[in-house]
Amino acid sequence: MSCTDGATTGACQVDPGVEAGDEPRGTVSIRTIAMPADTNPSGDIFGGWLMAQMDLAGGTHARKAAGGRVVTVAVNGFSFHLPVKVGDEVTCYTEIIKRGRTSLTLDVQAWVCRQDGGAKIKVTEGVFIFVALDAEGRARPLPPVVSSPLSPSGPPPLAR
């Protein structure tokens, strides 16, 4: 059984033991498999490896939103809930929670599907702050937000 986000039968379901309303939020920004080379002496995946995956996910989302280069300037409220095990499929979800003039603050969550195809479980979450940079490496203003055709106001009307 593979872990997907509901696109096929056999998809991982959110662990029924998690708090009501606690399910993955945002955009899938990275998905990878935890490998043996990334373990600590106890056999669990290093927290630093997981933080790096989450930083990559957040940076990918921030780069798209900023229209170019970004750098991580802070990580706040980072919490490890459960260990990641070798073979787990790790999916990082990202969501912009604040836009500044030059910065983006993203909520980044890491969820896993265990090898046995069990439930989707949130293992880690944190708040990452990125700053947009110009070609000389100085902070630059973010581009204006452009509404999407799939924005809450709905798609544009069809041409007749």
Side-chain angles (χ1 to χ4, degrees):
M1 179 187 313
S2 69
C3 180
T4 65
D5 289 315
T8 62
T9 57
C12 282
Q13 301 298 316
V14 175
D15 183 350
V18 301
E19 294 179 30
D22 196 12
E23 54 188 45
R25 292 187 320 268
T27 303
V28 173
S29 294
I30 196 169
R31 181 173 281 148
T32 190
I33 303 294
M35 300 299 285
D38 302 310
T39 60
N40 62 27
S42 298
D44 296 320
I45 297 299
F46 280 116
W49 178 86
L50 188 55
M51 288 179 77
Q53 301 308 305
M54 294 172 72
D55 190 34
L56 285 168
T60 298
H61 190 145
R63 179 178 40 84
K64 289 177 185 173
R69 183 177 173 200
V70 296
V71 292
T72 308
V73 296
V75 180
N76 299 323
F78 208 85
S79 300
F80 291 95
H81 303 294
L82 293 168
V84 175
K85 301 176 183 305
V86 171
D88 284 352
E89 183 177 274
V90 178
T91 304
C92 294
Y93 296 83
T94 58
E95 180 178 41
I96 296 172
I97 56 175
K98 181 180 176 188
R99 272 181 79 92
R101 192 178 75 76
T102 63
S103 66
L104 291 162
T105 302
L106 280 77
D107 176 58
V108 182
Q109 299 180 355
W111 290 69
V112 299
C113 283
R114 303 287 187 205
Q115 285 188 75
D116 60 9
K120 188 179 295 187
I121 304 162
K122 180 166 58 173
V123 293
T124 309
E125 60 189 320
V127 176
F128 288 71
I129 302 169
F130 298 90
V131 169
L133 299 180
D134 65 15
E136 285 76 41
R138 292 186 300 262
R140 65 170 170 81
L142 294 171
V145 177
V146 178
S147 64
S148 161
L150 301 177
S151 68
S153 62
L158 297 173
R160 295 189 186 226

